[in-house]
Amino acid sequence: MPKMKTKSSAKKRFRVRPGGTVKRGQAFKRHILTKKTTKNKRHLRGIVNVHSGDMGSIAKMLPSAGL
């Protein structure tokens, strides 16, 4: 049997925390920032947890993470 590979895009975007949660960066903060309000850009800072409904697809993309 061949080895299960990790999706390269997923390992760049997600990090698994020791408790089993997965952190990700916020979307909509890369470009076209001039029309977005300062408040909106401020709330897009930092990292957030991946929603529990998406954990199944994250677990498939990161098979060695033990999710």
Side-chain angles (χ1 to χ4, degrees):
M1 287 293 296
K3 293 181 181 178
M4 293 180 69
K5 289 191 173 181
T6 299
K7 292 283 185 184
S8 294
S9 60
K11 69 182 175 186
K12 294 171 189 173
R13 288 171 171 81
F14 304 113
R15 292 286 179 266
V16 180
R17 290 178 166 156
T21 59
V22 180
K23 65 180 183 177
R24 65 168 177 87
Q26 284 276 24
F28 305 108
K29 187 68 171 44
R30 296 294 180 206
H31 59 97
I32 316 176
L33 297 173
T34 53
K35 63 176 73 171
K36 294 173 184 152
T37 63
T38 307
K39 180 180 179 181
N40 188 13
K41 290 183 279 192
R42 187 172 62 247
H43 285 297
L44 292 174
R45 285 183 199 153
I47 54 173
V48 291
N49 288 335
V50 170
H51 194 269
S52 60
D54 298 323
M55 286 299 289
S57 60
I58 299 292
K60 287 180 186 175
M61 290 188 279
L62 301 170
S64 62
L67 298 175

